[in-house]
Coordinates of all heavy atoms in Angstrom, one line a residue:
M31 N -10.7 -30.1 1.1 CA -9.7 -29.2 0.6 C -8.5 -29.3 1.5 O -8.5 -29.8 2.6 CB -10.2 -27.8 0.6 CG -11.3 -27.4 -0.4 SD -10.9 -27.6 -2.1 CE -9.5 -26.6 -2.3
G32 N -7.4 -28.6 1.0 CA -6.2 -28.6 1.8 C -6.1 -27.5 2.8 O -7.2 -27.0 3.2
A33 N -5.0 -27.2 3.2 CA -4.8 -26.2 4.3 C -5.2 -24.8 3.8 O -5.4 -23.9 4.7 CB -3.3 -26.1 4.7
Y34 N -5.3 -24.5 2.5 CA -5.6 -23.2 2.0 C -7.1 -22.9 1.8 O -7.4 -21.8 1.5 CB -4.8 -22.9 0.7 CG -3.4 -22.9 1.0 CD1 -2.6 -24.0 0.5 CD2 -2.7 -21.9 1.7 CE1 -1.3 -24.1 0.8 CE2 -1.4 -22.0 1.9 CZ -0.6 -23.1 1.5 OH 0.7 -23.1 1.7
G35 N -7.9 -23.8 2.0 CA -9.3 -23.6 1.7 C -10.2 -24.6 2.3 O -9.8 -25.7 2.6
V36 N -11.5 -24.3 2.4 CA -12.5 -25.3 2.8 C -13.6 -25.3 1.8 O -13.7 -24.4 1.1 CB -13.1 -25.0 4.2 CG1 -12.0 -25.1 5.3 CG2 -13.7 -23.6 4.2
Q37 N -14.3 -26.4 1.7 CA -15.4 -26.5 0.7 C -16.5 -25.6 1.1 O -17.0 -25.6 2.2 CB -15.8 -28.0 0.6 CG -16.6 -28.3 -0.6 CD -15.7 -28.1 -1.9 OE1 -14.5 -28.3 -1.8 NE2 -16.4 -27.9 -3.0
R38 N -17.0 -24.8 0.1 CA -18.1 -23.9 0.3 C -19.0 -24.2 -0.9 O -18.8 -23.6 -2.0 CB -17.6 -22.5 0.3 CG -18.8 -21.4 0.4 CD -18.2 -20.0 0.4 NE -17.4 -19.8 -0.8 CZ -16.6 -18.8 -1.0 NH1 -16.5 -17.9 0.0 NH2 -16.0 -18.6 -2.1
G39 N -20.0 -25.1 -0.8 CA -20.8 -25.5 -1.9 C -19.8 -26.2 -2.9 O -19.1 -27.1 -2.6
K40 N -19.8 -25.7 -4.2 CA -18.9 -26.3 -5.1 C -17.7 -25.4 -5.3 O -16.7 -25.8 -6.0 CB -19.6 -26.4 -6.5 CG -20.7 -27.4 -6.5 CD -21.3 -27.6 -7.8 CE -22.3 -28.8 -7.8 NZ -22.7 -29.2 -9.1
V41 N -17.7 -24.2 -4.7 CA -16.5 -23.3 -4.8 C -15.7 -23.3 -3.5 O -16.3 -23.0 -2.4 CB -17.0 -21.9 -5.1 CG1 -15.9 -20.9 -5.2 CG2 -17.9 -21.9 -6.4
P42 N -14.5 -23.6 -3.5 CA -13.7 -23.6 -2.3 C -13.5 -22.2 -1.8 O -13.3 -21.2 -2.5 CB -12.3 -24.2 -2.7 CG -12.3 -24.0 -4.1 CD -13.6 -24.0 -4.7
M43 N -13.7 -22.0 -0.4 CA -13.5 -20.7 0.2 C -12.0 -20.6 0.4 O -11.3 -21.5 0.9 CB -14.2 -20.7 1.5 CG -14.0 -19.3 2.2 SD -15.0 -19.1 3.7 CE -14.4 -20.4 4.8
L44 N -11.5 -19.4 0.1 CA -10.0 -19.1 0.2 C -9.8 -18.5 1.5 O -10.5 -17.5 1.9 CB -9.6 -18.2 -0.9 CG -8.2 -17.8 -1.0 CD1 -7.3 -19.0 -1.3 CD2 -8.0 -16.8 -2.1
R45 N -8.8 -18.9 2.2 CA -8.3 -18.3 3.5 C -6.9 -17.8 3.2 O -6.0 -18.5 2.8 CB -8.3 -19.3 4.6 CG -9.7 -19.7 5.0 CD -9.7 -20.6 6.2 NE -11.0 -20.9 6.6 CZ -11.3 -21.9 7.4 NH1 -10.4 -22.7 7.8 NH2 -12.6 -22.1 7.8
I46 N -6.8 -16.5 3.5 CA -5.5 -15.8 3.2 C -4.8 -15.4 4.5 O -5.5 -14.7 5.3 CB -5.7 -14.6 2.3 CG1 -6.5 -15.0 1.0 CG2 -4.4 -13.9 2.0 CD1 -7.0 -13.8 0.2
L47 N -3.6 -15.7 4.6 CA -2.8 -15.3 5.8 C -1.6 -14.5 5.2 O -0.8 -15.0 4.4 CB -2.3 -16.4 6.6 CG -1.3 -16.1 7.7 CD1 -2.0 -15.2 8.8 CD2 -0.9 -17.4 8.4
V48 N -1.4 -13.3 5.6 CA -0.3 -12.4 5.1 C 0.5 -12.0 6.3 O -0.1 -11.4 7.3 CB -0.9 -11.2 4.4 CG1 0.2 -10.3 3.9 CG2 -1.8 -11.6 3.2
D49 N 1.8 -12.1 6.3 CA 2.6 -11.8 7.4 C 2.8 -10.3 7.5 O 2.6 -9.5 6.6 CB 4.0 -12.4 7.2 CG 4.9 -12.4 8.5 OD1 4.3 -12.6 9.6 OD2 6.1 -12.1 8.4
T50 N 3.2 -9.8 8.7 CA 3.3 -8.4 9.0 C 4.2 -7.7 8.0 O 3.9 -6.6 7.5 CB 3.9 -8.2 10.4 OG1 3.1 -8.9 11.3 CG2 3.8 -6.7 10.8
C51 N 5.4 -8.3 7.7 CA 6.3 -7.6 6.8 C 5.7 -7.4 5.4 O 6.0 -6.4 4.7 CB 7.6 -8.4 6.7 SG 7.5 -10.0 6.0
V52 N 4.8 -8.3 5.0 CA 4.2 -8.1 3.7 C 3.2 -6.9 3.7 O 3.1 -6.1 2.8 CB 3.5 -9.4 3.2 CG1 2.7 -9.2 1.9 CG2 4.5 -10.5 3.0
W53 N 2.4 -6.9 4.8 CA 1.5 -5.7 5.0 C 2.2 -4.4 5.0 O 1.8 -3.4 4.4 CB 0.7 -5.9 6.3 CG -0.4 -6.9 6.2 CD1 -0.6 -8.0 7.1 CD2 -1.5 -6.9 5.4 NE1 -1.7 -8.7 6.7 CE2 -2.3 -8.0 5.7 CE3 -2.0 -6.1 4.3 CZ2 -3.5 -8.4 5.0 CZ3 -3.1 -6.4 3.6 CH2 -3.9 -7.5 4.0
L54 N 3.3 -4.4 5.7 CA 4.1 -3.1 5.8 C 4.7 -2.7 4.5 O 4.7 -1.6 4.1 CB 5.2 -3.3 6.9 CG 4.7 -3.4 8.3 CD1 5.8 -3.8 9.3 CD2 4.0 -2.1 8.8
D55 N 5.1 -3.7 3.7 CA 5.6 -3.4 2.4 C 4.5 -2.9 1.4 O 4.7 -2.0 0.6 CB 6.3 -4.7 1.7 CG 7.6 -5.0 2.3 OD1 8.2 -4.1 2.9 OD2 8.1 -6.1 2.1
L56 N 3.3 -3.5 1.6 CA 2.2 -3.1 0.8 C 1.8 -1.7 1.0 O 1.5 -0.9 0.1 CB 1.0 -4.0 1.0 CG 1.0 -5.4 0.4 CD1 -0.2 -6.2 0.9 CD2 0.9 -5.2 -1.1
V57 N 1.7 -1.3 2.3 CA 1.2 0.1 2.6 C 2.3 1.2 2.4 O 2.0 2.3 2.4 CB 0.6 0.2 4.1 CG1 -0.5 -0.8 4.2 CG2 1.7 -0.1 5.1
K58 N 3.5 0.8 2.3 CA 4.6 1.8 2.1 C 4.6 2.4 0.7 O 5.2 3.5 0.6 CB 5.9 1.3 2.6 CG 6.8 0.8 1.6 CD 8.2 0.5 2.1 CE 8.3 -0.6 3.2 NZ 9.6 -1.2 3.3
D59 N 4.0 1.8 -0.2 CA 4.0 2.3 -1.6 C 2.6 2.4 -2.1 O 1.9 1.5 -2.2 CB 4.8 1.3 -2.5 CG 5.1 1.8 -3.8 OD1 4.4 2.8 -4.3 OD2 6.0 1.3 -4.5
Y60 N 2.2 3.7 -2.5 CA 0.9 4.0 -3.0 C 0.6 3.2 -4.2 O -0.6 2.9 -4.5 CB 0.7 5.5 -3.3 CG 1.5 5.9 -4.5 CD1 0.9 6.0 -5.7 CD2 2.8 6.3 -4.4 CE1 1.5 6.4 -6.9 CE2 3.5 6.7 -5.5 CZ 2.9 6.7 -6.8 OH 3.6 7.1 -7.9
R61 N 1.6 2.7 -5.0 CA 1.3 1.9 -6.2 C 0.7 0.5 -5.9 O 0.2 -0.1 -6.8 CB 2.6 1.8 -7.0 CG 3.1 3.1 -7.6 CD 4.4 3.0 -8.2 NE 5.4 2.7 -7.2 CZ 6.7 2.6 -7.4 NH1 7.2 2.8 -8.6 NH2 7.5 2.4 -6.4
N62 N 0.7 0.1 -4.6 CA 0.1 -1.1 -4.2 C -1.4 -1.0 -3.9 O -2.0 -2.0 -3.5 CB 0.8 -1.7 -3.0 CG 2.2 -2.2 -3.3 OD1 2.4 -2.7 -4.4 ND2 3.1 -2.0 -2.4
L63 N -1.9 0.2 -4.0 CA -3.3 0.4 -3.7 C -4.3 -0.5 -4.5 O -5.2 -1.0 -3.9 CB -3.7 1.9 -3.8 CG -5.1 2.3 -3.4 CD1 -5.3 2.0 -1.9 CD2 -5.3 3.8 -3.6
P64 N -4.0 -0.7 -5.8 CA -4.9 -1.6 -6.5 C -4.9 -3.0 -5.9 O -5.9 -3.7 -5.9 CB -4.4 -1.6 -7.9 CG -3.7 -0.3 -8.0 CD -3.1 0.0 -6.7
L65 N -3.7 -3.5 -5.5 CA -3.7 -4.8 -4.9 C -4.4 -4.9 -3.5 O -5.1 -5.8 -3.3 CB -2.2 -5.2 -4.7 CG -1.9 -6.6 -4.0 CD1 -2.6 -7.7 -4.8 CD2 -0.5 -6.8 -3.9
I66 N -4.2 -3.8 -2.7 CA -5.0 -3.8 -1.5 C -6.5 -3.7 -1.7 O -7.3 -4.4 -1.0 CB -4.5 -2.5 -0.6 CG1 -3.0 -2.7 -0.2 CG2 -5.4 -2.3 0.6 CD1 -2.4 -1.5 0.3
S67 N -6.9 -3.0 -2.7 CA -8.3 -2.9 -3.1 C -8.8 -4.3 -3.6 O -9.9 -4.6 -3.2 CB -8.5 -1.8 -4.2 OG -8.2 -0.6 -3.7
A68 N -8.0 -5.0 -4.3 CA -8.4 -6.3 -4.8 C -8.6 -7.3 -3.6 O -9.5 -8.1 -3.6 CB -7.4 -6.9 -5.8
I69 N -7.7 -7.2 -2.6 CA -7.8 -8.1 -1.5 C -9.1 -7.7 -0.7 O -9.8 -8.6 -0.3 CB -6.6 -7.9 -0.5 CG1 -5.3 -8.5 -1.2 CG2 -6.8 -8.6 0.8 CD1 -4.0 -8.1 -0.5
E70 N -9.3 -6.4 -0.5 CA -10.5 -6.0 0.1 C -11.8 -6.5 -0.6 O -12.7 -7.0 0.0 CB -10.6 -4.5 0.2 CG -11.8 -3.9 0.9 CD -11.8 -2.4 1.0 OE1 -11.2 -1.7 0.1 OE2 -12.4 -1.9 1.9
Y71 N -11.8 -6.4 -1.9 CA -12.9 -6.9 -2.7 C -13.2 -8.4 -2.5 O -14.3 -8.8 -2.3 CB -12.7 -6.5 -4.2 CG -13.8 -7.1 -5.1 CD1 -15.0 -6.4 -5.2 CD2 -13.6 -8.3 -5.7 CE1 -16.0 -6.9 -6.0 CE2 -14.6 -8.8 -6.5 CZ -15.8 -8.1 -6.7 OH -16.8 -8.6 -7.4
I72 N -12.1 -9.1 -2.6 CA -12.2 -10.6 -2.4 C -12.8 -10.9 -1.1 O -13.7 -11.8 -1.0 CB -10.8 -11.3 -2.6 CG1 -10.4 -11.2 -4.0 CG2 -10.9 -12.7 -2.1 CD1 -8.9 -11.6 -4.3
V73 N -12.3 -10.3 0.0 CA -12.8 -10.6 1.3 C -14.3 -10.1 1.4 O -15.1 -10.9 2.0 CB -12.0 -9.9 2.4 CG1 -12.6 -10.0 3.7 CG2 -10.6 -10.5 2.4
R74 N -14.6 -9.0 0.9 CA -16.0 -8.5 1.1 C -17.0 -9.2 0.2 O -18.1 -9.5 0.6 CB -16.1 -7.0 0.8 CG -15.4 -6.2 1.9 CD -15.5 -4.7 1.6 NE -14.8 -3.9 2.5 CZ -15.3 -3.0 3.4 NH1 -16.6 -2.8 3.3 NH2 -14.5 -2.4 4.2
Q75 N -16.7 -9.3 -1.1 CA -17.6 -9.8 -2.1 C -17.7 -11.3 -2.2 O -18.8 -11.9 -2.3 CB -17.3 -9.2 -3.5 CG -17.4 -7.7 -3.5 CD -18.7 -7.2 -3.2 OE1 -19.8 -7.7 -3.6 NE2 -18.8 -6.1 -2.4
A76 N -16.6 -12.0 -2.1 CA -16.5 -13.4 -2.3 C -16.7 -14.2 -1.0 O -16.9 -15.4 -1.0 CB -15.2 -13.8 -3.0
G77 N -16.7 -13.5 0.1 CA -16.9 -14.1 1.4 C -15.7 -15.0 1.8 O -15.8 -15.8 2.7
D78 N -14.6 -14.7 1.2 CA -13.4 -15.4 1.6 C -12.9 -14.8 2.9 O -13.3 -13.7 3.4 CB -12.3 -15.4 0.6 CG -12.7 -16.2 -0.7 OD1 -13.3 -17.2 -0.5 OD2 -12.4 -15.8 -1.8
E79 N -11.9 -15.4 3.6 CA -11.4 -14.9 4.9 C -10.0 -14.4 4.8 O -9.1 -15.0 4.1 CB -11.5 -16.1 5.9 CG -12.9 -16.5 6.2 CD -12.9 -17.6 7.3 OE1 -11.8 -18.0 7.8 OE2 -14.0 -18.1 7.6
L80 N -9.8 -13.3 5.5 CA -8.4 -12.8 5.6 C -8.1 -13.1 7.1 O -8.6 -12.5 8.0 CB -8.4 -11.3 5.4 CG -7.1 -10.6 5.4 CD1 -6.1 -11.2 4.4 CD2 -7.2 -9.1 5.1
I81 N -7.1 -14.0 7.3 CA -6.7 -14.4 8.6 C -5.6 -13.4 9.1 O -4.6 -13.3 8.5 CB -6.2 -15.8 8.6 CG1 -7.4 -16.8 8.1 CG2 -5.8 -16.2 10.0 CD1 -6.9 -18.2 7.8
V82 N -5.9 -12.8 10.2 CA -4.9 -11.8 10.8 C -4.7 -12.2 12.3 O -5.5 -11.8 13.1 CB -5.4 -10.4 10.6 CG1 -4.3 -9.4 11.1 CG2 -5.8 -10.1 9.2
P83 N -3.7 -12.9 12.6 CA -3.4 -13.3 14.0 C -3.1 -12.0 14.8 O -2.6 -11.0 14.2 CB -2.2 -14.2 13.9 CG -2.1 -14.7 12.5 CD -2.7 -13.6 11.7
Q84 N -3.3 -12.0 16.1 CA -3.1 -10.9 16.9 C -1.6 -10.4 16.9 O -1.4 -9.2 16.9 CB -3.4 -11.2 18.4 CG -3.4 -10.1 19.3 CD -4.4 -9.0 18.9 OE1 -5.5 -9.2 18.6 NE2 -3.9 -7.7 18.9
V85 N -0.7 -11.4 16.7 CA 0.7 -11.0 16.6 C 1.0 -10.1 15.4 O 1.8 -9.1 15.5 CB 1.7 -12.2 16.7 CG1 1.5 -13.0 15.4 CG2 3.1 -11.8 16.9
V86 N 0.3 -10.4 14.3 CA 0.4 -9.5 13.1 C -0.1 -8.1 13.4 O 0.5 -7.1 13.0 CB -0.3 -10.2 11.9 CG1 -0.3 -9.3 10.7 CG2 0.5 -11.5 11.5
L87 N -1.3 -8.1 14.0 CA -1.9 -6.8 14.3 C -1.0 -6.0 15.2 O -0.8 -4.8 15.0 CB -3.2 -6.9 15.0 CG -4.3 -7.6 14.1 CD1 -5.6 -7.9 15.0 CD2 -4.7 -6.6 13.0
D88 N -0.4 -6.6 16.2 CA 0.5 -6.0 17.2 C 1.8 -5.5 16.5 O 2.2 -4.3 16.7 CB 0.9 -6.9 18.3 CG -0.3 -7.3 19.2 OD1 -1.3 -6.6 19.2 OD2 -0.1 -8.3 19.9
E89 N 2.4 -6.3 15.6 CA 3.6 -5.9 14.9 C 3.3 -4.7 14.0 O 4.1 -3.8 13.8 CB 4.2 -7.1 14.1 CG 4.8 -8.1 15.0 CD 5.3 -9.3 14.2 OE1 5.0 -9.4 13.0 OE2 5.9 -10.2 14.8
F90 N 2.1 -4.8 13.3 CA 1.8 -3.7 12.4 C 1.6 -2.4 13.1 O 2.1 -1.4 12.7 CB 0.5 -4.1 11.6 CG 0.1 -3.1 10.6 CD1 0.6 -3.2 9.3 CD2 -0.7 -2.0 10.8 CE1 0.3 -2.3 8.3 CE2 -1.0 -1.1 9.8 CZ -0.5 -1.3 8.6
E91 N 0.9 -2.5 14.2 CA 0.7 -1.3 15.1 C 2.0 -0.7 15.5 O 2.2 0.5 15.5 CB -0.2 -1.6 16.3 CG -0.6 -0.5 17.1 CD -1.5 0.5 16.4 OE1 -2.3 0.1 15.5 OE2 -1.4 1.7 16.7
R92 N 2.9 -1.6 15.9 CA 4.2 -1.1 16.4 C 5.1 -0.5 15.3 O 5.9 0.4 15.6 CB 5.0 -2.3 17.0 CG 5.7 -2.1 18.3 CD 6.4 -3.3 18.9 NE 6.5 -4.5 18.1 CZ 5.8 -5.6 18.3 NH1 4.8 -5.7 19.1 NH2 6.0 -6.7 17.6
N93 N 4.9 -0.9 14.1 CA 5.8 -0.4 13.0 C 5.2 0.5 12.0 O 5.9 1.1 11.2 CB 6.3 -1.6 12.2 CG 7.3 -2.5 13.0 OD1 8.4 -2.1 13.2 ND2 6.8 -3.6 13.4
K94 N 3.9 0.8 12.1 CA 3.2 1.6 11.1 C 3.7 3.0 11.0 O 3.8 3.6 10.0 CB 1.7 1.5 11.2 CG 1.1 2.2 12.4 CD -0.4 2.1 12.4 CE -1.0 2.9 13.6 NZ -2.4 2.7 13.6
E95 N 4.0 3.6 12.2 CA 4.5 5.0 12.2 C 5.9 5.1 11.5 O 6.1 6.0 10.7 CB 4.6 5.5 13.6 CG 3.3 5.7 14.3 CD 2.4 6.7 13.7 OE1 2.9 7.7 13.2 OE2 1.2 6.5 13.7
R96 N 6.7 4.2 11.7 CA 8.0 4.2 11.1 C 7.9 4.0 9.5 O 8.5 4.7 8.8 CB 8.9 3.0 11.6 CG 10.2 2.9 10.9 CD 11.0 1.7 11.4 NE 10.3 0.4 11.2 CZ 10.1 -0.3 10.1 NH1 10.6 0.2 9.0 NH2 9.4 -1.4 10.1
V97 N 7.0 3.1 9.1 CA 6.8 2.8 7.7 C 6.2 4.1 7.1 O 6.5 4.5 6.0 CB 5.9 1.6 7.5 CG1 5.5 1.5 6.1 CG2 6.7 0.3 7.9
A98 N 5.2 4.7 7.8 CA 4.6 5.9 7.2 C 5.6 7.0 7.1 O 5.7 7.7 6.0 CB 3.5 6.4 8.1
A99 N 6.5 7.2 8.0 CA 7.6 8.2 7.9 C 8.5 7.9 6.8 O 8.9 8.8 6.0 CB 8.3 8.3 9.3
D100 N 8.9 6.6 6.6 CA 9.8 6.2 5.5 C 9.1 6.5 4.2 O 9.7 7.0 3.2 CB 10.1 4.7 5.6 CG 11.0 4.4 6.7 OD1 11.6 5.3 7.3 OD2 11.2 3.2 7.0
A101 N 7.8 6.2 4.1 CA 7.1 6.4 2.8 C 7.0 7.9 2.5 O 7.1 8.4 1.4 CB 5.7 5.8 2.9
K102 N 6.8 8.7 3.6 CA 6.7 10.2 3.4 C 8.0 10.7 2.9 O 8.1 11.6 2.0 CB 6.3 10.8 4.7 CG 6.2 12.3 4.7 CD 5.7 12.9 6.0 CE 5.6 14.4 6.0 NZ 5.3 14.9 7.3
R103 N 9.1 10.3 3.5 CA 10.5 10.7 3.1 C 10.7 10.3 1.6 O 11.2 11.1 0.8 CB 11.5 10.1 3.9 CG 11.9 10.9 5.2 CD 13.1 10.4 5.9 NE 13.1 9.1 6.3 CZ 12.5 8.7 7.4 NH1 12.0 9.5 8.2 NH2 12.5 7.4 7.8
S104 N 10.3 9.1 1.2 CA 10.5 8.6 -0.1 C 9.7 9.5 -1.1 O 10.2 9.9 -2.2 CB 10.1 7.2 -0.2 OG 10.2 6.7 -1.5
L105 N 8.5 9.7 -0.7 CA 7.6 10.5 -1.6 C 8.1 11.9 -1.7 O 8.1 12.5 -2.8 CB 6.2 10.5 -1.1 CG 5.0 10.8 -2.0 CD1 5.1 10.0 -3.3 CD2 3.7 10.7 -1.3
H106 N 8.6 12.5 -0.6 CA 9.1 13.9 -0.6 C 10.3 13.9 -1.6 O 10.5 14.9 -2.4 CB 9.5 14.3 0.8 CG 10.0 15.7 0.9 ND1 9.6 16.7 0.1 CD2 11.0 16.2 1.6 CE1 10.3 17.8 0.4 NE2 11.2 17.5 1.3
S107 N 11.2 12.9 -1.5 CA 12.4 12.9 -2.3 C 12.0 12.8 -3.8 O 12.5 13.4 -4.6 CB 13.2 11.7 -1.9 OG 14.3 11.5 -2.8
H108 N 11.0 11.9 -4.1 CA 10.5 11.8 -5.5 C 9.9 13.1 -6.0 O 10.3 13.5 -7.1 CB 9.4 10.7 -5.5 CG 8.9 10.5 -6.9 ND1 9.5 9.8 -7.9 CD2 7.7 10.9 -7.4 CE1 8.8 9.8 -8.9 NE2 7.7 10.4 -8.7
F109 N 9.1 13.8 -5.2 CA 8.6 15.1 -5.6 C 9.6 16.1 -5.8 O 9.6 17.0 -6.7 CB 7.5 15.6 -4.6 CG 6.2 14.9 -4.8 CD1 5.5 14.4 -3.7 CD2 5.6 14.7 -6.1 CE1 4.3 13.8 -3.9 CE2 4.4 14.0 -6.2 CZ 3.7 13.6 -5.1
S110 N 10.7 16.1 -5.0 CA 11.8 17.0 -5.1 C 12.5 16.8 -6.4 O 12.8 17.8 -7.1 CB 12.8 16.9 -4.0 OG 12.2 17.2 -2.7
L111 N 12.7 15.6 -6.8 CA 13.3 15.3 -8.1 C 12.4 15.8 -9.3 O 12.9 16.3 -10.3 CB 13.5 13.8 -8.3 CG 14.6 13.2 -7.4 CD1 14.7 11.7 -7.5 CD2 16.0 13.8 -7.8
V112 N 11.1 15.6 -9.1 CA 10.1 16.0 -10.2 C 10.2 17.5 -10.3 O 10.2 18.1 -11.4 CB 8.7 15.5 -9.9 CG1 7.7 16.1 -10.8 CG2 8.7 14.0 -10.0
C113 N 10.1 18.2 -9.1 CA 10.2 19.7 -9.1 C 11.5 20.2 -9.8 O 11.4 21.1 -10.6 CB 10.0 20.2 -7.7 SG 8.4 20.0 -7.1
E114 N 12.6 19.6 -9.4 CA 13.8 20.0 -10.0 C 13.9 19.8 -11.5 O 14.3 20.6 -12.3 CB 15.0 19.2 -9.4 CG 16.4 19.6 -9.8 CD 16.7 21.1 -9.5 OE1 16.2 21.6 -8.5 OE2 17.4 21.7 -10.3
A115 N 13.3 18.6 -12.0 CA 13.2 18.4 -13.4 C 12.3 19.4 -14.1 O 12.6 19.9 -15.2 CB 12.8 17.0 -13.7
A116 N 11.2 19.7 -13.4 CA 10.3 20.7 -14.0 C 11.0 22.1 -14.1 O 10.8 22.8 -15.1 CB 9.0 20.8 -13.2
K117 N 11.7 22.5 -13.1 CA 12.4 23.8 -13.1 C 13.5 23.7 -14.2 O 13.7 24.7 -14.9 CB 13.1 24.0 -11.8 CG 12.1 24.4 -10.7 CD 12.9 24.6 -9.4 CE 11.9 24.7 -8.2 NZ 12.7 24.7 -7.0
R118 N 14.1 22.6 -14.4 CA 15.3 22.5 -15.3 C 14.8 22.4 -16.8 O 15.4 23.0 -17.7 CB 16.1 21.3 -14.9 CG 17.4 21.3 -15.6 CD 18.3 20.3 -14.9 NE 19.5 20.2 -15.6 CZ 20.4 19.2 -15.6 NH1 20.1 18.2 -14.8 NH2 21.4 19.2 -16.3
F119 N 13.8 21.6 -17.0 CA 13.4 21.3 -18.4 C 12.0 21.9 -18.8 O 11.6 21.8 -19.9 CB 13.3 19.8 -18.6 CG 14.7 19.2 -18.3 CD1 14.8 18.4 -17.2 CD2 15.7 19.4 -19.2 CE1 16.1 17.8 -17.0 CE2 17.0 18.8 -18.9 CZ 17.1 18.0 -17.8
G120 N 11.2 22.4 -17.8 CA 9.9 22.9 -18.1 C 9.9 24.3 -18.7 O 11.0 24.9 -19.0
D121 N 8.7 24.8 -18.9 CA 8.7 26.2 -19.5 C 8.9 27.1 -18.3 O 9.2 26.8 -17.2 CB 7.3 26.4 -20.2 CG 6.1 26.4 -19.3 OD1 6.3 26.4 -18.1 OD2 5.0 26.4 -19.8
A122 N 8.7 28.4 -18.6 CA 9.0 29.4 -17.6 C 7.9 29.8 -16.7 O 7.6 30.9 -16.3 CB 9.5 30.7 -18.3
R123 N 7.1 28.8 -16.3 CA 5.9 29.0 -15.5 C 6.2 28.3 -14.1 O 6.7 27.2 -14.1 CB 4.6 28.5 -16.1 CG 4.3 29.2 -17.3 CD 2.9 28.6 -17.9 NE 2.6 29.2 -19.1 CZ 2.0 30.4 -19.3 NH1 1.5 31.0 -18.2 NH2 1.7 30.9 -20.5
D124 N 5.8 29.0 -13.0 CA 5.9 28.3 -11.8 C 4.6 27.6 -11.5 O 3.7 27.5 -12.3 CB 6.2 29.3 -10.6 CG 5.1 30.3 -10.4 OD1 4.0 30.1 -10.8 OD2 5.4 31.3 -9.7
Y125 N 4.4 27.0 -10.3 CA 3.2 26.2 -10.0 C 1.9 27.0 -9.9 O 0.9 26.4 -10.0 CB 3.4 25.4 -8.7 CG 4.5 24.4 -8.9 CD1 5.8 24.6 -8.4 CD2 4.3 23.3 -9.7 CE1 6.8 23.7 -8.5 CE2 5.4 22.4 -9.9 CZ 6.6 22.6 -9.3 OH 7.6 21.7 -9.5
S126 N 2.0 28.3 -9.8 CA 0.7 29.1 -9.8 C 0.3 29.4 -11.2 O -0.8 30.0 -11.4 CB 0.9 30.4 -9.0 OG 1.9 31.2 -9.6
G127 N 1.0 29.1 -12.2 CA 0.7 29.3 -13.6 C 1.1 30.7 -14.1 O 0.7 31.1 -15.2
T128 N 1.9 31.4 -13.3 CA 2.3 32.7 -13.7 C 3.7 32.7 -14.2 O 4.5 31.8 -13.9 CB 2.3 33.7 -12.5 OG1 3.1 33.3 -11.5 CG2 0.8 33.9 -12.0
K129 N 4.1 33.6 -15.1 CA 5.4 33.6 -15.7 C 6.4 34.0 -14.6 O 6.1 34.9 -13.7 CB 5.5 34.7 -16.8 CG 4.9 34.2 -18.1 CD 5.9 33.4 -18.8 CE 5.4 33.2 -20.3 NZ 6.3 32.2 -20.9
R130 N 7.6 33.4 -14.6 CA 8.7 33.8 -13.7 C 9.5 34.8 -14.4 O 9.6 34.9 -15.6 CB 9.6 32.6 -13.4 CG 8.9 31.5 -12.5 CD 9.9 30.5 -12.1 NE 10.5 29.8 -13.3 CZ 10.9 28.6 -13.3 NH1 10.9 27.9 -12.2 NH2 11.4 28.1 -14.4
G131 N 10.1 35.7 -13.5 CA 10.9 36.8 -13.9 C 11.8 36.6 -15.0 O 12.3 37.1 -15.8

C-alpha cells in the first residue's frame, strides 16, 4: 500500500492524520459531532489508526480554552437571536409557558 495505509489481510488499514487546526475547527461547532462520532467509530470498530503526533496534542491543549470560549460566544449570540425572534414573532408566552402581561 501507499503512505495512507498498510495491508491488513485483504482490507487495507487506514491511517488518519489530522492537523491541529482541523481538530480545533471540528470541536468549535456542535454540528460536527456526527463527523467526530464517525471518526471515533472507524478507529474503534474497524481497527484503523488515528495518528496524533505530540505536537498536535500540545497545540490542541494550548488552544482548546480559546476555541471553547469562541464557541460559547457564538452559541450565545445565536441563542440571543433566536430569543429575540421568539419575542418578536412568537405568541404571548414566555419560556415558563405562562402568559405575559
Side-chain angles (χ1 to χ4, degrees):
M31 290 299 308
Y34 297 105
V36 296
Q37 198 65 24
R38 177 181 57 194
K40 292 186 177 189
V41 179
M43 180 173 66
L44 182 63
R45 291 184 175 161
I46 303 169
L47 173 62
V48 181
D49 192 40
T50 310
C51 62
V52 175
W53 284 121
L54 294 170
D55 284 344
L56 282 174
V57 299
K58 97 171 58 162
D59 190 340
Y60 72 93
R61 293 173 293 188
N62 290 326
L63 188 57
L65 179 57
I66 295 169
S67 295
I69 293 169
E70 181 181 28
Y71 176 82
I72 289 169
V73 170
R74 288 178 187 244
Q75 300 300 319
D78 293 323
E79 293 181 3
L80 184 60
I81 301 169
V82 185
Q84 188 62 46
V85 68
V86 171
L87 295 172
D88 294 344
E89 289 175 356
F90 187 87
E91 185 65 32
R92 223 177 11 257
N93 290 289
K94 71 180 181 181
E95 294 297 324
R96 176 187 54 80
V97 169
D100 290 348
K102 182 179 177 181
R103 273 192 299 278
S104 175
L105 200 53
H106 179 38
S107 174
H108 179 75
F109 282 135
S110 294
L111 290 172
V112 169
C113 288
E114 185 60 35
K117 288 177 190 174
R118 194 166 175 201
F119 301 109
D121 66 11
R123 296 182 185 273
D124 66 15
Y125 293 104
S126 65
T128 60
K129 284 276 193 189
R130 288 190 298 208

